[in-house]
Amino acid sequence: DFETINSRVKQLLSNRQLLLTPQETCSLMEAIVLISNQMKDFERQKALLEDHMSPMVSFLLSEEMQRILSDPEAFFLCVGSNVHLADTVVDDCIELSHSRISCCISTISGMLRWTQRPSDLEEAKAGGFIKSYLASGNPIYRHPCSRQILKVLDVLLIPIKTQNNFYSPDLVHTLDPSFVQVLEFLKTEKSSNLDDPHPLTNIYSPPTSDTVLKRIQDFFCTLYEDSFSILGQAGQALMQDFYTVFDLTGRLINSAFVNLDNVPDLRVQIMLNAFVKPLVHHCPPEYYQRILTPILSTLLSSLHLRLANEWDHIDKWNKLIKENEETEIPEYWENIVFQARKLTREVMAIIDDCCFSDGATGDSVTADESDDDEEIGR
């Protein structure tokens, strides 16, 4: 029965001699979540999930962890800025830091993603999943993970803000030239943004002969995306519990959009897809003015300036090439144009979702419309 399965999983998770990988730990936790959905009892499921999430929440809320996540220099040191990046042997302390942080964030993301309430309204009501009702008569649901997720909301925002600040010119100039490579993008990350079918390298895979540089890049990439994924899922899953958080707008703007002008396009696209699009698509109408308007006002103003500069740069180069056919085109030119087109489509998809009440997800802007890219640039 379920209690036997849960007891066995807890034994596996607490057995240090087994040396479970982060991937195995996350899989076990997600399995428990999927099974717990069959309880159809809010209080029972809530108690179970809080019991499993408590160690991770305590770890993330620890003073030491918050100090490391909030200070770029301390964060760099924690993940291995003082080691030789070409090495393939990673210090145990650094490996542990990567594993513990990544495992916590990934597991929380998985639990938020897979926790579900009964689809049948009567079952949800009988199980205690309905908190109250809107004036329209639609139910307001409760989420078993809500309390724990909201506890670590600010902690999830810290690594996003810190990683955005990685690209601050003042900080980059203080880094060892060899460590600046960490801020560059993985081949797999570039391929993913270039619509390559090859998936991103999984940071939770068993250790390989990857260099320290590659592992740190993996770590930063996954942490950034998972943190934004949690924020994107929170609106849809927690609903009113999320949108009524005190000063939610200010918290999001002062973390996700910090130093945005210096953050590379690939990172901005991660933010748009994992966080902004779900936020826009699932935000209840009653929170448009208080949540969406100030957030999108800040974001779209920044993106408008970014895209205007990018397309102006592209337009100048195109004119130069037309005027002088012997002009040497940089090898990276196609990628610059592609990224500008792709980011423009992402922004247009968000605007499209804002303008239509049918809840369109922006899929109407597809790669087939690339013939109008120059018009978009103007």
Side-chain angles (χ1 to χ4, degrees), residues 131-332:
K131 183 177 182 179
S132 58
Y133 293 87
L134 296 171
S136 62
N138 292 328
I140 298 176
Y141 292 99
R142 299 196 292 171
H143 194 282
C145 295
S146 180
R147 182 180 173 186
Q148 297 296 314
I149 297 294
L150 295 180
K151 272 186 181 181
V152 296
L153 177 61
D154 285 333
V155 178
L156 297 172
L157 295 174
I158 291 174
I160 291 174
K161 180 178 180 178
T162 301
Q163 289 203 64
N164 281 357
N165 281 326
F166 284 172
Y167 298 97
S168 170
D170 292 339
L171 177 61
V172 172
H173 290 155
T174 66
L175 294 175
D176 184 283
S178 64
F179 197 74
V180 173
Q181 298 175 71
V182 169
L183 301 181
E184 297 176 358
F185 297 100
L186 296 164
K187 275 187 178 179
T188 46
E189 191 176 5
K190 289 180 179 177
S191 297
S192 177
N193 277 276
L194 291 172
D195 296 329
D196 191 294
H198 299 292
L200 284 173
T201 301
N202 191 341
I203 189 173
Y204 309 113
S205 298
T208 65
S209 58
D210 287 338
T211 62
V212 174
L213 170 63
K214 173 66 163 51
R215 294 195 194 187
I216 296 177
Q217 286 178 317
D218 276 338
F219 171 73
F220 282 154
C221 173
T222 306
L223 179 62
Y224 196 70
E225 187 163 3
D226 279 351
S227 297
F228 271 126
S229 293
I230 292 174
L231 294 180
Q233 296 166 36
Q236 180 183 9
L238 309 186
M239 295 303 288
Q240 273 75 7
D241 284 347
F242 178 70
Y243 293 109
T244 56
V245 167
F246 176 73
D247 193 28
L248 176 64
T249 302
R251 292 180 180 185
L252 294 175
I253 290 176
N254 292 323
S255 54
F257 304 152
V258 163
N259 196 40
L260 195 61
D261 291 343
N262 292 312
V263 176
D265 282 2
L266 290 176
R267 287 281 191 263
V268 172
Q269 288 171 26
I270 289 175
M271 175 191 68
L272 295 180
N273 284 305
F275 165 53
V276 178
K277 284 185 178 179
L279 179 73
V280 170
H281 190 67
H282 296 291
C283 183
E286 59 267 30
Y287 298 108
Y288 285 173
Q289 289 299 318
R290 187 162 64 86
I291 303 293
L292 282 190
T293 298
I295 286 178
L296 292 179
S297 176
T298 301
L299 175 63
L300 293 179
S301 294
S302 174
L303 293 179
H304 175 265
L305 181 60
R306 175 192 290 258
L307 288 171
N309 290 334
E310 289 184 6
W311 282 109
D312 183 57
H313 178 62
I314 292 170
D315 190 46
K316 287 178 180 177
W317 261 95
N318 286 338
K319 287 180 179 178
L320 184 62
I321 293 170
K322 287 180 181 179
E323 293 171 358
N324 186 356
E325 295 182 356
E326 296 181 0
T327 301
E328 186 175 345
I329 303 175
E331 293 182 3
Y332 54 82

Side-chain angles (χ1 to χ4, degrees), residues 21-23 25-26 30 56 59-60 65 69 75 78-79 94-110 156 159 163 202-205 215-227 230:
T21 66
Q23 185 181 34
T25 299
C26 294
E30 290 180 2
M56 293 178 288
F59 171 70
L60 292 175
M65 200 67 252
L69 292 176
F75 201 1
C78 172
V79 299
I94 294 173
E95 193 73 60
L96 182 61
S97 296
H98 289 194
S99 291
R100 294 185 71 184
I101 296 172
S102 299
C103 186
C104 285
I105 300 296
S106 180
T107 301
I108 290 174
S109 176
L156 297 172
Q163 289 203 64
N202 191 341
I203 189 173
Y204 309 113
S205 298
R215 294 195 194 187
I216 296 177
Q217 286 178 317
D218 276 338
F219 171 73
F220 282 154
C221 173
T222 306
L223 179 62
Y224 196 70
E225 187 163 3
D226 279 351
S227 297
I230 292 174

